[in-house]
Amino acid sequence: MRITILGGGGFLGKKLAARLARDGSLGGKPITGLTLFDLAAPPAPSAPFPVQCLGGDVADPAAVAAAIPAGTEVVFHLAAVVSAAAEADYDLGMKVNLNGTLAVLQACRALGTKPRVIFTSSVASFGGGQDAVVPDDGRQVPTNSYGAQKAIGELLLQDATRKGFLDAVSIRLPTVMVRPGRPNKAASSFVSAILREPLLGLSTDCPVPPEFAVWICSPRSAMEWFLHAATMDTSAMGIDRGINPPGRSATVAKMLGALEAVAGHAAREKVGFVFDKEVFDIVVGWPAAFEAERARRLGFAEQESLEDLVRAFIEDDLAATKAERGL
Amino acid sequence: MRITILGGGGFLGKKLAARLARDGSLGGKPITGLTLFDLAAPPAPSAPFPVQCLGGDVADPAAVAAAIPAGTEVVFHLAAVVSAAAEADYDLGMKVNLNGTLAVLQACRALGTKPRVIFTSSVASFGGGQDAVVPDDGRQVPTNSYGAQKAIGELLLQDATRKGFLDAVSIRLPTVMVRPGRPNKAASSFVSAILREPLLGLSTDCPVPPEFAVWICSPRSAMEWFLHAATMDTSAMGIDRGINPPGRSATVAKMLGALEAVAGHAAREKVGFVFDKEVFDIVVGWPAAFEAERARRLGFAEQESLEDLVRAFIEDDLAATKAERGL
């Protein structure tokens, strides 16, 4: 089985490549080749199969077609300009998030073999805000350009699925925490920072109040969902290819409680509160909870507890993050 | 006030141009210029203001920019490839319905003056089928490419509104009946044909059974909704720029009853039933009823009765249709 990861150099793309390299197979079928594609050619994990690493623009149809060679059975389309960046630069967001997805659609269609496409959509495609509990048939009324572009990508891939060009599953990812590395341009960057920075021994400011709730998932859950979406029987989904996976609704106070439970009071004390209106105005529009019953019925795994999530970051990413940041 | 109609050569575009020419003003402001744009330059109505008629491709950004000159305050974006044609030719539908709307967005944005844009979306952007009564926050899960492209257009224009590039109102038009002229490539062409053809003295076959229900509106209602959307205070809409207008849910049997009430038994007897699976499979996915409470609150006028709708066709369009078809 040949697999492509678009956005293979990003946080989730690298974790997914490492997981596939470790497993050597997907859904019981041996992996025979992996192509990693990102703006700069991503590093290749050591793997029991050939890994091809390509650099290019996801909005360039020729570059994307080269990254999805004949015989590709599964495409993970994780390439995107994130929320605050897409809000700050509308044209860049449209280019990468809209034209990029169109290029992926056309490259997959050109294969003529209906590859499975796993698309990372986002909680940011919903409006609703703090009080919302989004039902499975909740309408996407995005309050930001990133969310609008993701909702459009879902519609494109859903229609392409109905037309028989490909076989899409769009996972509307919650805010993924704890992200390793450094703060990034996502408006939700603080959600990881308030756990990661203290675990690195650093102080950080939270830009929203303690009672602010976020719909979150761990990188480990995201990986389980990606692999399930790549191997599940999609016929049970019918025409509707968007999935609200079973993440977890958590307040900042609860996250800090989990931090304290795992890493002690001193870690908790590293987090201060400095309100940031620009960040708040973006994230306040994202719903803080989802029903996610359809995803459970379709076999998507439950998110682990916040304490387990903190421990997983320590196990999986803390050492590498320390090394990367020279700490 | 300068106004542009994209798709100004189509059925609704021509009616709208004639209405504006007759009124001479919009929302109490005199019209100072009207640009009509279509694939072939549309005919100019006689009007008390200058009318510019342009031919071009709505997917060509330069052609669209020329059709939306500086000072344009209102753009009616009616240009589209209709349902069955977009289903038969995916690439043509994507070009006109997606790239066309992107070109309109960019042309309006380039003005820097935030023009009002009235976009004709469609009931075809919803799934649900015969049993659905779509609530105002009903989710769009299109069962055809035309509907997907319309839902995408709504998302694009809604986000462009939020960004301050333009000021959009998307009207999800019911199936418009009675259309003058000849049958066209819309899957819903029969909805008009079963009234129009008998009124022309011609026989016609209905491809769906008598109990089949359709969410319909008249050309007169569509005009009222367009003019209201062009002049209403949009601040009451908030971020959500999609409108389910107050159309009417009617079975084929009821439509034929109205035909008989207005035009007699002989007219009713001109309609036979010959099931057409290809047409049925498209239209069966469209919901047959909507709540439309939000549109009523926002001042969109109620659809007239079926009998009045039949009489309006006789008054407005029967003679011209007879002449056009040499009857």
Side-chain angles (χ1 to χ4, degrees):
Chain A
M1 159 180 284
R2 285 201 57 89
I3 300 174
T4 291
I5 306 176
L6 305 168
F11 155 47
L12 294 175
K14 277 195 283 201
K15 280 195 176 287
L16 179 59
R19 170 70 180 267
L20 295 174
R22 197 168 73 233
D23 290 356
S25 65
L26 179 62
K29 291 173 72 173
I31 299 170
T32 54
L34 174 65
T35 299
L36 304 177
F37 178 89
D38 213 308
L39 214 45
S46 97
F49 46 75
V51 181
Q52 182 190 23
C53 299
L54 300 175
D57 183 347
V58 75
D60 172 2
V64 173
I68 304 176
T72 302
E73 289 179 58
V74 176
V75 175
F76 294 96
H77 174 24
L78 319 180
V81 166
V82 292
S83 53
E87 199 57 34
D89 188 341
Y90 177 82
D91 294 310
L92 179 65
M94 289 288 277
K95 187 183 114 170
V96 173
N97 297 342
L98 174 55
N99 296 344
T101 299
L102 284 166
V104 174
L105 188 166
Q106 295 296 4
C108 290
R109 179 188 182 193
L111 294 186
T113 52
K114 217 173 154 171
R116 178 71 51 92
V117 176
I118 298 88
F119 175 56
T120 46
S121 184
S122 170
V123 60
S125 65
F126 289 92
Q130 286 284 296
D131 296 330
V133 179
V134 180
D136 281 332
D137 62 351
R139 186 172 158 228
Q140 288 163 299
V141 184
T143 59
N144 56 91
S145 293
Y146 174 75
Q149 291 148 10
K150 287 295 189 185
I152 289 168
E154 287 189 40
L155 282 163
L156 289 169
L157 294 175
Q158 185 159 283
D159 192 49
T161 298
R162 193 188 56 80
K163 294 289 284 184
F165 301 155
L166 47 82
D167 183 18
V169 180
S170 295
I171 302 177
R172 302 184 188 118
L173 278 185
T175 296
V176 182
M177 69 182 288
V178 181
R179 295 177 69 95
R182 299 168 193 279
N184 76 0
K185 283 191 179 173
S188 56
S189 180
F190 75 87
V191 181
S192 286
I194 60 173
L195 300 185
R196 183 190 58 233
E197 302 300 302
L199 291 168
L200 293 168
L202 303 174
S203 296
T204 189
D205 289 329
C206 180
V208 300
E211 64 273 17
F212 190 88
V214 186
W215 179 245
I216 62 100
C217 76
S218 67
R220 284 190 183 178
S221 286
M223 290 306 120
E224 294 308 318
W225 297 338
F226 289 171
L227 299 184
H228 182 63
T231 55
M232 69 186 285
D233 176 5
T234 51
S235 63
M237 298 186 78
I239 210 165
D240 179 2
R241 294 313 182 98
I243 288 287
N244 300 332
R248 185 173 285 263
S249 185
T251 61
V252 165
K254 277 212 168 177
M255 296 175 199
L256 296 178
L259 174 67
E260 181 159 353
V262 174
H265 187 66
R268 164 67 189 80
E269 288 298 300
K270 295 278 187 193
V271 182
F273 286 89
V274 178
F275 186 72
D276 181 329
K277 190 174 180 315
E278 198 174 332
V279 167
F280 183 81
D281 283 350
I282 295 178
V283 298
V284 75
W286 302 355
F290 286 71
E291 279 182 357
E293 284 311 317
R294 180 167 179 258
R296 289 181 179 99
R297 273 201 311 277
L298 289 167
F300 286 85
E302 207 69 35
Q303 168 62 40
E304 71 263 37
S305 73
L306 288 172
E307 287 76 9
D308 284 349
L309 178 156
V310 174
R311 283 184 206 105
F313 172 72
I314 294 170
E315 275 178 46
D316 295 350
D317 294 306
L318 186 59
T321 298
K322 276 187 176 163
E324 179 191 338
R325 293 176 59 176
L327 297 167
Chain B
M1 159 181 284
R2 284 201 58 89
I3 300 174
T4 291
I5 306 176
L6 305 167
F11 156 46
L12 294 176
K14 276 195 283 201
K15 279 195 177 288
L16 179 59
R19 170 71 181 264
L20 295 173
R22 198 168 73 232
D23 291 355
S25 66
L26 180 62
K29 292 173 74 175
I31 299 171
T32 55
L34 173 65
T35 299
L36 304 178
F37 178 91
D38 213 309
L39 214 45
S46 98
F49 45 74
V51 181
Q52 183 189 23
C53 299
L54 300 175
D57 183 347
V58 74
D60 171 3
V64 174
I68 304 176
T72 302
E73 288 179 58
V74 176
V75 176
F76 294 95
H77 175 26
L78 319 179
V81 165
V82 293
S83 53
E87 199 58 34
D89 187 341
Y90 177 82
D91 293 310
L92 178 66
M94 288 288 277
K95 188 183 113 170
V96 173
N97 296 342
L98 173 56
N99 295 345
T101 299
L102 284 166
V104 174
L105 189 165
Q106 295 296 4
C108 290
R109 178 188 183 194
L111 294 186
T113 52
K114 218 171 152 170
R116 178 72 51 91
V117 177
I118 297 88
F119 175 56
T120 45
S121 184
S122 171
V123 59
S125 64
F126 290 92
Q130 287 285 296
D131 297 329
V133 178
V134 180
D136 282 332
D137 62 350
R139 186 172 158 227
Q140 289 163 298
V141 185
T143 58
N144 56 91
S145 292
Y146 173 74
Q149 290 148 10
K150 287 295 187 183
I152 289 168
E154 288 189 39
L155 283 162
L156 289 170
L157 294 175
Q158 184 159 285
D159 193 50
T161 298
R162 196 189 55 80
K163 293 291 283 184
F165 300 154
L166 47 82
D167 183 19
V169 180
S170 295
I171 301 177
R172 301 182 188 119
L173 278 185
T175 297
V176 182
M177 71 182 285
V178 180
R179 296 178 68 97
R182 298 168 193 281
N184 75 1
K185 283 191 179 173
S188 57
S189 180
F190 75 87
V191 180
S192 287
I194 59 173
L195 300 186
R196 183 189 59 233
E197 302 301 302
L199 291 169
L200 293 168
L202 303 174
S203 295
T204 189
D205 290 328
C206 180
V208 301
E211 64 274 17
F212 191 87
V214 185
W215 179 243
I216 61 98
C217 75
S218 67
R220 285 191 184 178
S221 287
M223 289 307 119
E224 294 309 317
W225 297 340
F226 289 172
L227 299 184
H228 183 64
T231 54
M232 69 186 285
D233 176 4
T234 51
S235 64
M237 299 185 76
I239 211 164
D240 179 2
R241 294 312 183 100
I243 289 286
N244 300 332
R248 187 174 284 265
S249 185
T251 60
V252 165
K254 278 210 168 182
M255 296 175 200
L256 295 179
L259 174 66
E260 181 160 354
V262 174
H265 187 67
R268 163 68 188 80
E269 289 298 302
K270 296 277 188 194
V271 182
F273 286 88
V274 178
F275 187 72
D276 181 329
K277 191 173 181 313
E278 200 175 330
V279 167
F280 184 81
D281 283 351
I282 295 179
V283 299
V284 76
W286 303 356
F290 286 72
E291 280 182 358
E293 284 310 318
R294 181 167 178 259
R296 291 183 179 97
R297 272 201 313 278
L298 289 167
F300 286 85
E302 207 70 33
Q303 168 62 39
E304 71 264 36
S305 73
L306 288 173
E307 287 78 7
D308 284 348
L309 178 154
V310 174
R311 284 185 206 105
F313 172 72
I314 294 171
E315 275 177 46
D316 296 350
D317 294 306
L318 185 59
T321 298
K322 276 187 175 163
E324 180 191 338
R325 293 176 60 176
L327 296 168

